[in-house]
PDB file of all heavy atoms in Angstrom:
ATOM      1  N   LEU A  91      -5.939  31.562  27.235  1.00 82.00           N
ATOM      2  CA  LEU A  91      -4.957  30.526  27.502  1.00 82.00           C
ATOM      3  C   LEU A  91      -5.529  29.095  27.414  1.00 82.00           C
ATOM      4  O   LEU A  91      -4.788  28.148  27.134  1.00 82.00           O
ATOM      5  CB  LEU A  91      -4.404  30.707  28.928  1.00 82.00           C
ATOM      6  CG  LEU A  91      -3.665  32.011  29.162  1.00 82.00           C
ATOM      7  CD1 LEU A  91      -3.268  32.118  30.620  1.00 82.00           C
ATOM      8  CD2 LEU A  91      -2.429  32.083  28.286  1.00 82.00           C
ATOM      9  N   LEU A  92      -6.820  28.944  27.552  1.00 92.00           N
ATOM     10  CA  LEU A  92      -7.373  27.619  27.679  1.00 92.00           C
ATOM     11  C   LEU A  92      -7.260  26.824  26.366  1.00 92.00           C
ATOM     12  O   LEU A  92      -6.949  25.663  26.367  1.00 92.00           O
ATOM     13  CB  LEU A  92      -8.828  27.676  28.121  1.00 92.00           C
ATOM     14  CG  LEU A  92      -9.465  26.315  28.410  1.00 92.00           C
ATOM     15  CD1 LEU A  92      -8.675  25.469  29.409  1.00 92.00           C
ATOM     16  CD2 LEU A  92     -10.896  26.482  28.897  1.00 92.00           C
ATOM     17  N   GLY A  93      -7.509  27.433  25.200  1.00 91.00           N
ATOM     18  CA  GLY A  93      -7.428  26.740  23.927  1.00 91.00           C
ATOM     19  C   GLY A  93      -6.052  26.125  23.702  1.00 91.00           C
ATOM     20  O   GLY A  93      -5.919  24.955  23.354  1.00 91.00           O
ATOM     21  N   GLY A  94      -5.020  26.941  23.981  1.00 89.00           N
ATOM     22  CA  GLY A  94      -3.639  26.444  23.831  1.00 89.00           C
ATOM     23  C   GLY A  94      -3.351  25.340  24.856  1.00 89.00           C
ATOM     24  O   GLY A  94      -2.685  24.340  24.513  1.00 89.00           O
ATOM     25  N   ALA A  95      -3.824  25.507  26.062  1.00 92.00           N
ATOM     26  CA  ALA A  95      -3.606  24.493  27.105  1.00 92.00           C
ATOM     27  C   ALA A  95      -4.240  23.176  26.728  1.00 92.00           C
ATOM     28  O   ALA A  95      -3.668  22.100  26.925  1.00 92.00           O
ATOM     29  CB  ALA A  95      -4.107  25.004  28.461  1.00 92.00           C
ATOM     30  N   LEU A  96      -5.475  23.268  26.196  1.00 95.00           N
ATOM     31  CA  LEU A  96      -6.202  22.031  25.754  1.00 95.00           C
ATOM     32  C   LEU A  96      -5.482  21.372  24.591  1.00 95.00           C
ATOM     33  O   LEU A  96      -5.384  20.162  24.518  1.00 95.00           O
ATOM     34  CB  LEU A  96      -7.619  22.405  25.394  1.00 95.00           C
ATOM     35  CG  LEU A  96      -8.502  22.765  26.560  1.00 95.00           C
ATOM     36  CD1 LEU A  96      -9.850  23.324  26.102  1.00 95.00           C
ATOM     37  CD2 LEU A  96      -8.729  21.596  27.523  1.00 95.00           C
ATOM     38  N   MET A  97      -4.949  22.167  23.669  1.00 90.00           N
ATOM     39  CA  MET A  97      -4.191  21.585  22.520  1.00 90.00           C
ATOM     40  C   MET A  97      -2.959  20.875  23.039  1.00 90.00           C
ATOM     41  O   MET A  97      -2.623  19.775  22.557  1.00 90.00           O
ATOM     42  CB  MET A  97      -3.851  22.657  21.517  1.00 90.00           C
ATOM     43  CG  MET A  97      -5.045  23.161  20.731  1.00 90.00           C
ATOM     44  SD  MET A  97      -4.664  24.507  19.601  1.00 90.00           S
ATOM     45  CE  MET A  97      -3.507  23.741  18.471  1.00 90.00           C
ATOM     46  N   ARG A  98      -2.250  21.495  24.009  1.00 89.00           N
ATOM     47  CA  ARG A  98      -1.032  20.833  24.550  1.00 89.00           C
ATOM     48  C   ARG A  98      -1.436  19.590  25.292  1.00 89.00           C
ATOM     49  O   ARG A  98      -0.737  18.559  25.170  1.00 89.00           O
ATOM     50  CB  ARG A  98      -0.294  21.800  25.500  1.00 89.00           C
ATOM     51  CG  ARG A  98       0.467  22.880  24.777  1.00 89.00           C
ATOM     52  CD  ARG A  98       1.300  23.740  25.698  1.00 89.00           C
ATOM     53  NE  ARG A  98       0.539  24.521  26.601  1.00 89.00           N
ATOM     54  CZ  ARG A  98      -0.025  25.690  26.272  1.00 89.00           C
ATOM     55  NH1 ARG A  98       0.032  26.135  25.068  1.00 89.00           N
ATOM     56  NH2 ARG A  98      -0.689  26.390  27.184  1.00 89.00           N
ATOM     57  N   LEU A  99      -2.494  19.608  26.048  1.00 94.00           N
ATOM     58  CA  LEU A  99      -2.938  18.430  26.815  1.00 94.00           C
ATOM     59  C   LEU A  99      -3.289  17.295  25.833  1.00 94.00           C
ATOM     60  O   LEU A  99      -2.845  16.166  26.051  1.00 94.00           O
ATOM     61  CB  LEU A  99      -4.152  18.752  27.701  1.00 94.00           C
ATOM     62  CG  LEU A  99      -4.717  17.575  28.485  1.00 94.00           C
ATOM     63  CD1 LEU A  99      -3.707  17.074  29.513  1.00 94.00           C
ATOM     64  CD2 LEU A  99      -5.996  18.034  29.218  1.00 94.00           C
ATOM     65  N   HIS A 100      -4.009  17.601  24.784  1.00 92.00           N
ATOM     66  CA  HIS A 100      -4.383  16.575  23.827  1.00 92.00           C
ATOM     67  C   HIS A 100      -3.173  15.980  23.132  1.00 92.00           C
ATOM     68  O   HIS A 100      -3.086  14.811  22.863  1.00 92.00           O
ATOM     69  CB  HIS A 100      -5.412  17.106  22.808  1.00 92.00           C
ATOM     70  CG  HIS A 100      -6.251  16.035  22.222  1.00 92.00           C
ATOM     71  ND1 HIS A 100      -5.821  15.228  21.221  1.00 92.00           N
ATOM     72  CD2 HIS A 100      -7.496  15.604  22.539  1.00 92.00           C
ATOM     73  CE1 HIS A 100      -6.755  14.352  20.910  1.00 92.00           C
ATOM     74  NE2 HIS A 100      -7.790  14.572  21.712  1.00 92.00           N
ATOM     75  N   SER A 101      -2.226  16.868  22.779  1.00 88.00           N
ATOM     76  CA  SER A 101      -0.996  16.429  22.167  1.00 88.00           C
ATOM     77  C   SER A 101      -0.204  15.499  23.080  1.00 88.00           C
ATOM     78  O   SER A 101       0.309  14.450  22.681  1.00 88.00           O
ATOM     79  CB  SER A 101      -0.140  17.638  21.784  1.00 88.00           C
ATOM     80  OG  SER A 101       1.054  17.248  21.192  1.00 88.00           O
ATOM     81  N   GLU A 102      -0.137  15.853  24.357  1.00 91.00           N
ATOM     82  CA  GLU A 102       0.577  14.980  25.324  1.00 91.00           C
ATOM     83  C   GLU A 102      -0.173  13.678  25.471  1.00 91.00           C
ATOM     84  O   GLU A 102       0.439  12.604  25.573  1.00 91.00           O
ATOM     85  CB  GLU A 102       0.698  15.710  26.680  1.00 91.00           C
ATOM     86  CG  GLU A 102       1.507  14.948  27.686  1.00 91.00           C
ATOM     87  CD  GLU A 102       1.655  15.689  29.018  1.00 91.00           C
ATOM     88  OE1 GLU A 102       1.054  16.788  29.188  1.00 91.00           O
ATOM     89  OE2 GLU A 102       2.329  15.125  29.879  1.00 91.00           O
ATOM     90  N   TRP A 103      -1.484  13.707  25.533  1.00 92.00           N
ATOM     91  CA  TRP A 103      -2.314  12.474  25.670  1.00 92.00           C
ATOM     92  C   TRP A 103      -2.069  11.557  24.478  1.00 92.00           C
ATOM     93  O   TRP A 103      -1.874  10.348  24.588  1.00 92.00           O
ATOM     94  CB  TRP A 103      -3.749  12.817  25.817  1.00 92.00           C
ATOM     95  CG  TRP A 103      -4.681  11.625  25.829  1.00 92.00           C
ATOM     96  CD1 TRP A 103      -5.385  11.164  24.760  1.00 92.00           C
ATOM     97  CD2 TRP A 103      -4.988  10.796  26.943  1.00 92.00           C
ATOM     98  NE1 TRP A 103      -6.112  10.070  25.174  1.00 92.00           N
ATOM     99  CE2 TRP A 103      -5.882   9.821  26.494  1.00 92.00           C
ATOM    100  CE3 TRP A 103      -4.573  10.760  28.284  1.00 92.00           C
ATOM    101  CZ2 TRP A 103      -6.397   8.837  27.331  1.00 92.00           C
ATOM    102  CZ3 TRP A 103      -5.048   9.813  29.127  1.00 92.00           C
ATOM    103  CH2 TRP A 103      -5.975   8.856  28.621  1.00 92.00           C
TER     104      TRP A 103
END
Side-chain angles (χ1 to χ4, degrees):
L91 297 174
L92 186 54
L96 291 169
M97 288 176 63
R98 285 188 292 282
L99 179 63
H100 205 281
S101 179
E102 186 179 3
W103 176 261

